[in-house]
Amino acid sequence: MTNTKDHPTALPARVRTVVVGAGYAGLSAALSLHDDGIDTLILEGSDRVGGRVCSERRKDGVVVDHGGQWVGPTQKHLLALAERFDCPTFPTYNMGEHIELWPDGVHRRYTGAGPDSGPGMADYLAAADRIDELARTVDLDDPTATPGIERWDSETVHSYFERTVANEDARRRLALAVEGVWSIEPRDLSVFHLMFYVASAGGFDQLMETEGCAQERRFRDGAQSTALAVANHLGDRVHVNTAVRQVEHTTNGVRIETTRGTILADSVVMALPPSATQRVTFTPPLPVPRTRWVDRSPMGDVAKVHAVFDTPFWRADGLSGQATIYGNRAVGVVFDNSPEDAGHGVLVCFVYGDRQRSWSALSDDDRRAAIIATLVELFGDRAASPIDYTEKIWPQDVWARGGYAASPTPGTWFAHGRGGWRAPTDRIHWAGSETASIWNGYIDGAISSGARAAEEIRKQLSR
């Protein structure tokens, strides 16, 4: 879904504030400033708003979310924004039995958070409790002040699990949990960032579960619907197809050079993921801690694949459509992504990390065959013939270059977090989900980060 204009209005010569990036962080910052009567312009390089949230209406009217899609009860910023702009939600389908599929082909059906007697389950739950204990030590207002940060930021999650979790099946469960939340492998994540992220969400289960947690509800018209509503409210202040190339501090303000002209502003909100920030030239150069933080915060590797069927046939079999897959199959996790009225059946498949890199290198036909084969293994022969099939391979997205979020590499929080995470750079303020203290990496965190950046600007303008 797009919010483009065939003939965009000309860029003004000067505004009070320019917001770079029309994802949820940039839209939130611009909306907050606009609400306070501060002259604001938002610039977006792509042809749509929403950033890493991207909804598409497929044939027969089925809406699929290629990017972020869920909202949980504690994600109050997103819920409030959706309520303001009348974007209804509905519960994620969570009835019936879930499936886990193991490398040896064993299927296990269960209800609730996990199979109580499943292999490695007791050790997995014990490890989750230890992670929660560590997360409670994190200082969310100043993460770099967390006791023991150097130690925890120096160890990878892979080595931590190898050191503290004896059961191999429990480690498999934990590894898939990491892939599912961060879309990277445990070797690429520091224990400290895991601690911070869990603390930011309010607990390990908040990240993993559905009812009462991050995956509880979906948006009737797609998760991009609220972003589109905000953009329509802001009107001509939103300029898509307008990529920012340079940001320069001058004696008269901040000069922003774009693909459609140059603008002068009193202040700037940079609401881009680190991967996109790298494409902008800053004059004078950004402080070293900020450049190091950006350079050492790569995006994850994830693809979302939707298979659409005439009906959600798995429900009649007593299945929820949710599945976790261990081993070498391409798919890691499956959810029922059917519309609220169940007029069609939709299964969304997540492909993460190492599996994503191998799978995405295949031909179009072979990628599809690998996905469908797993769905047939899970749900039977009726899964072999979807009426529609679509992929979004996020590392191939020219703007985001990955998903869901950027994760600082081990050692980056300790070495560069204090000055690099989100501290303003003169008249440049930093937003984006990666800069949030609460629900970091999520849509809700993006919205709160935009509000924080707007508040920084209000204080700066009042001096």
Side-chain angles (χ1 to χ4, degrees):
M1 298 179 181
T2 62
N3 191 70
T4 60
K5 295 185 178 181
D6 293 333
H7 303 288
T9 57
L11 297 177
R14 181 163 193 143
V15 295
R16 294 291 299 278
T17 301
V18 164
V19 177
V20 182
Y24 269 94
L27 291 167
S28 170
L31 179 64
S32 181
L33 293 167
H34 174 64
D35 284 347
D36 278 357
I38 298 173
D39 184 26
T40 304
L41 201 69
I42 185 166
L43 308 177
E44 168 60 44
S46 74
D47 64 353
R48 63 175 184 84
V49 302
R52 287 167 271 175
V53 179
C54 176
S55 307
E56 180 188 7
R57 190 171 296 277
R58 304 288 292 179
K59 60 185 180 181
D60 298 323
V62 175
V63 175
V64 299
D65 277 307
H66 294 296
Q69 67 172 61
W70 284 295
V71 61
T74 66
Q75 295 176 354
K76 300 187 183 303
H77 294 91
L78 177 51
L79 289 170
L81 196 65
E83 182 178 6
R84 173 176 173 178
F85 289 96
D86 193 24
C87 296
T89 65
F90 66 98
T92 300
Y93 190 78
N94 196 38
M95 298 168 61
E97 294 182 306
H98 314 320
I99 299 174
E100 59 177 26
L101 177 59
W102 286 80
D104 58 5
V106 170
H107 289 63
R108 187 170 285 102
R109 292 190 178 194
Y110 65 96
T111 57
D116 293 337
S117 60
M121 197 65 194
D123 286 353
Y124 168 84
L125 293 173
D129 287 342
R130 289 194 295 272
I131 290 169
D132 278 334
E133 289 178 13
L134 290 173
R136 285 191 283 270
T137 70
V138 174
D139 184 335
L140 287 173
D141 292 326
D142 183 6
T144 59
T146 299
I149 181 175
E150 181 176 13
R151 171 192 174 189
W152 296 121
D153 203 35
S154 299
E155 183 172 15
T156 69
V157 170
H158 172 81
S159 65
Y160 172 75
F161 288 159
E162 289 287 323
R163 181 170 62 81
T164 62
V165 181
N167 185 280
E168 182 180 4
D169 289 325
R171 293 200 301 272
R172 285 183 190 271
R173 293 183 183 278
L174 289 162
L176 184 58
V178 168
E179 293 168 21
V181 173
W182 289 273
S183 61
I184 59 178
E185 299 294 331
R187 64 174 180 268
D188 299 319
L189 184 69
S190 78
V191 177
F192 179 73
H193 192 59
L194 179 144
M195 293 163 53
F196 164 75
Y197 212 85
V198 169
S200 171
F204 189 79
D205 284 348
Q206 277 289 327
L207 294 168
M208 304 299 167
E209 304 305 332
T210 301
E211 188 173 349
C213 299
Q215 286 72 232
E216 183 176 83
R217 302 185 70 83
R218 294 169 50 212
F219 289 86
R220 183 178 299 165
D221 298 311
Q224 193 186 355
S225 59
T226 306
L228 291 166
V230 174
N232 287 334
H233 177 73
L234 293 173
D236 289 341
R237 297 168 186 82
V238 180
H239 290 255
V240 296
N241 295 309
T242 309
V244 171
R245 298 294 185 229
Q246 184 174 16
V247 175
E248 179 184 7
H249 279 95
T250 72
T251 55
N252 295 322
V254 185
R255 179 179 176 274
I256 300 103
E257 179 185 325
T258 82
T259 51
R260 292 182 47 236
T262 300
I263 309 168
L264 200 64
D266 295 327
S267 56
V268 177
V269 176
M270 294 297 298
L272 301 175
S275 56
T277 303
Q278 290 174 313
R279 302 163 74 169
V280 179
T281 299
F282 294 89
T283 306
L286 295 175
V288 170
R290 180 64 194 173
T291 59
R292 289 287 189 263
W293 179 271
V294 168
D295 291 344
R296 299 181 185 186
S297 295
M299 299 295 284
D301 290 322
V302 63
K304 284 185 75 173
V305 182
H306 286 86
V308 182
F309 302 89
D310 288 325
T311 64
F313 59 84
W314 50 90
R315 297 183 183 182
D317 295 333
L319 296 174
S320 67
Q322 295 179 33
T324 49
I325 300 95
Y326 302 96
N328 294 324
R329 297 169 184 85
V331 180
V333 170
V334 179
F335 265 87
D336 182 329
N337 248 21
S338 305
E340 183 178 17
D341 64 5
H344 288 81
V346 183
L347 292 171
V348 60
C349 305
F350 292 83
V351 188
Y352 309 115
D354 288 343
R355 291 193 268 194
Q356 188 278 330
R357 287 183 283 273
S358 298
W359 172 82
S360 64
L362 300 174
S363 68
D364 292 354
D365 289 343
D366 287 345
R367 287 199 309 275
R368 176 179 173 131
I371 298 294
I372 298 302
T374 301
L375 292 181
V376 168
E377 201 172 358
L378 290 167
F379 303 110
D381 290 340
R382 283 174 292 180
S385 303
I387 61 173
D388 191 20
Y389 173 95
T390 181
E391 302 171 348
K392 175 64 175 179
I393 304 175
W394 279 97
Q396 297 176 6
D397 185 276
V398 297
W399 299 102
R401 296 185 179 181
Y404 317 116
S407 295
T409 56
T412 300
W413 266 112
F414 176 72
H416 308 294
R418 183 170 297 277
W421 178 36
R422 65 184 188 189
T425 307
D426 198 351
R427 286 170 286 184
I428 300 173
H429 303 262
W430 302 98
S433 188
E434 289 84 0
T435 70
S437 293
I438 304 298
W439 283 112
N440 185 280
Y442 284 73
I443 304 171
D444 191 79
I447 295 169
S448 66
S449 78
R452 173 190 47 77
E455 178 60 22
E456 291 173 359
I457 286 174
R458 280 191 287 270
K459 290 178 179 178
Q460 190 176 60
L461 293 178
S462 65
R463 292 172 188 165

